[in-house]
Structure formats: C-alpha cells, structure tokens
Amino acid sequence: MAKTDSSPVSLTGHFTGQVWCRHDLSPPHLGSGLGRVLYRAQQPFGWISQQIYGSNLESMLLVRHQLMDDLVRADIENGTTQILEIASGLSGRALRMLEAYPDRDLRYIEADLPQMMAWKRERLTPAQKQDKRLTLCDINILRESGAMSLPSVLAANVDPAKPLLIITEGLVNYFRLPVIHEFWQRLHAELSTFPSSSYLFEIWPRLPVYDESKMLKLGLVAIEMLTRQRVPLHFTGEPEIVEAFEAIGFPQVDVINPDHTEIGRQFGALQKCLFRVVRAST
Ligand SMILES: C[S@@+](CC[C@H](N)C(=O)[O-])C[C@H]1O[C@@H](n2cnc3c(N)ncnc32)[C@H](O)[C@@H]1O
C-alpha cells in the first residue's frame, strides 16, 4: 500500500460517522470509539458556535447528509439503479437506501481508502455482508489508473449500459483545487461514457462570511489541526462553481443553497449555510 493510500482525513470520517449514529442516520454498530471521543471534544465548540453564530458544524452536517439523501432518493425514483459513493467513510446511507428500496434492482458500491473500508467491512452484520446489492471496495481518488483507481473500480463493479450516480460527501475540500479539479476531469471522462450519469457532492466555498467571523476561521483551523493539512475553500460562490463544472464538460450543473430547501428551513437558525450541494449531470 502506497503512503497516499492512507490519510489523516479518515479521522474526520469517524467523527461524521458518530454524528450519523447520534441522529439515527446510521446503525450503532457503525459508530467507533474514536468517533465518540472526537464528537465529545467538539461539543463545547458546537455549543459556543450555536450561541454566537446561530448554527454549528453538527447541524450543517445533518442538513448536508439529509439533503443529499433526498437527492439520492429522487435519482433512484427516476430510475437510477447504480450508485458509487466515493469516500463513503462510516456513512449509513448505502444501508438506508438498500433498506428503503428492497424491490429495486439497486447496486450500491461504497468505496474509500483501504483502512476505512477494512474497518467498515469488519463491522457490517452478516446479513449486510451477504447482501449482493452492496459492494465495498478500496479506492484512492489520487490514483489515475490500476488498482484502486476510479476506472478500475468502475470496470469491476458497474454496468456501462445503465445510468450511474457518483457521490462524494465531505471529500473535495481536503484537496487543493488543482488536485481535486484534475480528479473531476477524470470523473467527467468516465461518466461521459454512460447513457446518463450524475455527480452529486458538496463543496465549501470561500463565502464573504469568513471575513466577518473569527469563530468560523477558528473552526477551519481546528479541522486543519485534526487532519494535519490545509482545508482549502474552493470558489467564491455559486456562479464560479457552475462555471467550473460547465468548463469541465458537464452540460447541466445545479447548485443548491441548503438555506433555500425544506431540510435547511427545518434547522431554522441556519440562514448562513457554509456549503453548497451540487449535482452535475452529463
Ligand atoms: C469527512 S470523511 C466523510 C465520510 C463520509 N462521506 C461521511 O460523510 O460520513 C472523508 C472521507 O474521505 C476519505 N478519503 C480521504 N482521502 C481519500 C482519497 N484519496 N481517496 C478516497 N477517499 C479518501 C477518508 O477516508 C474519509 O472516509
């Protein structure tokens, strides 16, 4: 295994995994001791952020996860049967979707760095392991070809004659823009070969609010300390995101501000959502 096949970013997967467990979005057996420790450590900051900013990381993660769930469900109901979720971490989304649509001919592939996948594989129940509709595989988005690359994961697991949805959640801002942009170009090249396909992901742009709030800057520094790397914010807002993805070659790019959605409104105070959910289709 190459050095780049493991990453401190996986720590954040334990944290988000614990958030999903706490809110019944993931079964308790996908929680981890590490996730519980990280969750407890951030609670005081979450409380302070809630008082000062009117929102916190946990509520934004919950909006993100559930909004993306809604969009995945919409895709399934429109006939998508193949889903590849990259950097799936300890998310319970695959299990929830497979349970919600027992009669659909779904194929859900979860992919992440080898250590994270090994951890998840060990914790699935025997019934979940035996479910032929679910596949867990290793991927490293930095690999362009060969084992663990996107082309090899697709070649081994999906039917090129059927529509495909690829998801990343909580991934793109852990890479510098030129690096993730290069991945998006390779992703687009792969998706273009399918009869219809979409890429669903969330992105945290450099919104003007960062210049006003020290609290937000501190939050970013805390994540950078945990992952021992920069967490760059990409683009300045919706127009730049659309422009970038159209330039890559996606003819249809929808950028959703969660504040303008039902799930965003349910979190009342969340009027300054810091991320956007994007659906780029071929
Ligand atoms: C913040 S976690 C998000 C996990 C999950 N999507 C969620 O929302 O709970 C980031 C994930 O990215 C994965 N990751 C980091 N670098 C990666 C890479 N080069 N290729 C694939 N996955 C990677 C980590 O292992 C981790 O599971």
Side-chain angles (χ1 to χ4, degrees):
M1 192 169 75
K3 193 166 169 271
T4 53
D5 291 335
S6 67
S7 162
V9 172
S10 299
L11 286 175
T12 61
H14 285 268
F15 167 67
T16 48
Q18 186 58 27
V19 173
W20 314 144
C21 287
R22 288 273 304 194
H23 296 274
D24 292 330
L25 291 166
S26 196
H29 61 267
L30 289 189
S32 71
L34 177 57
R36 282 187 285 278
V37 170
L38 293 172
Y39 181 81
R40 273 191 220 113
Q42 67 75 45
Q43 270 179 315
F45 302 100
W47 186 85
I48 295 169
S49 170
Q50 187 66 43
Q51 307 310 310
I52 298 177
Y53 184 63
S55 178
N56 61 28
L57 181 59
E58 186 169 3
S59 53
M60 276 189 268
L61 289 175
L62 289 170
V63 170
R64 171 182 101 183
H65 205 56
Q66 294 178 80
L67 177 55
M68 291 179 75
D69 275 1
D70 285 349
L71 294 165
V72 175
R73 271 193 289 269
D75 252 43
I76 294 174
E77 276 157 30
N78 283 330
T80 295
T81 54
Q82 306 191 102
I83 301 171
L84 167 61
E85 181 156 358
I86 299 175
S88 55
L90 303 179
S91 165
R93 176 175 294 123
L95 301 178
R96 280 185 287 109
M97 292 299 158
L98 292 171
E99 200 180 304
Y101 296 96
D103 304 326
R104 301 277 166 121
D105 184 23
L106 279 186
R107 179 141 188 64
Y108 207 118
I109 302 122
E110 292 197 282
D112 204 304
L113 293 172
Q115 275 175 349
M116 184 56 99
M117 277 294 98
W119 198 97
K120 194 168 198 177
R121 239 178 242 120
E122 265 177 35
R123 275 151 186 92
L124 290 182
T125 65
Q128 288 162 350
K129 280 185 191 157
Q130 276 159 22
D131 188 341
K132 296 243 177 318
R133 301 172 305 158
L134 178 66
T135 304
L136 266 56
C137 60
D138 299 343
I139 199 169
N140 182 346
I141 63 153
L142 301 176
R143 289 197 177 203
E144 291 177 25
S145 59
M148 281 197 255
S149 66
L150 177 63
S152 75
V153 166
L154 290 174
N157 294 289
V158 305
D159 181 344
K162 291 184 179 169
L164 174 68
L165 170 67
I166 294 189
I167 306 170
T168 65
E169 178 179 6
L171 181 74
V172 305
N173 290 88
Y174 289 112
F175 297 90
R176 287 184 305 110
L177 188 56
V179 176
I180 198 68
H181 189 269
E182 204 258 338
F183 168 68
W184 288 331
Q185 285 173 318
R186 289 187 277 113
L187 180 87
H188 173 261
E190 294 295 333
L191 284 177
S192 310
T193 64
F194 286 79
S196 78
S197 61
S198 298
Y199 172 41
L200 176 67
F201 66 104
E202 118 288 9
I203 188 163
W204 301 65
R206 178 163 294 286
L207 299 171
V209 68
Y210 282 96
D211 298 327
E212 296 155 21
S213 167
K214 277 204 180 102
M215 185 77 202
L216 293 182
K217 281 189 198 136
L218 276 177
L220 215 54
V221 171
I223 299 173
E224 289 183 341
M225 280 166 68
L226 180 68
T227 56
R228 285 170 266 149
Q229 62 181 55
R230 295 288 317 283
V231 178
L233 301 167
H234 300 317
F235 310 118
T236 55
E238 285 138 51
E240 278 189 18
I241 299 172
V242 173
E243 197 185 320
F245 277 80
E246 283 179 350
I248 288 172
F250 288 96
Q252 179 70 38
V253 185
D254 301 308
V255 183
I256 302 169
N257 178 343
D259 284 341
H260 304 153
T261 65
E262 189 48 44
I263 178 76
R265 278 188 282 270
Q266 279 169 26
F267 279 76
L270 190 67
Q271 285 309 316
K272 299 174 195 160
C273 198
L274 298 177
F275 67 91
R276 299 292 179 264
V277 170
V278 185
R279 192 174 189 284
S281 307
T282 58

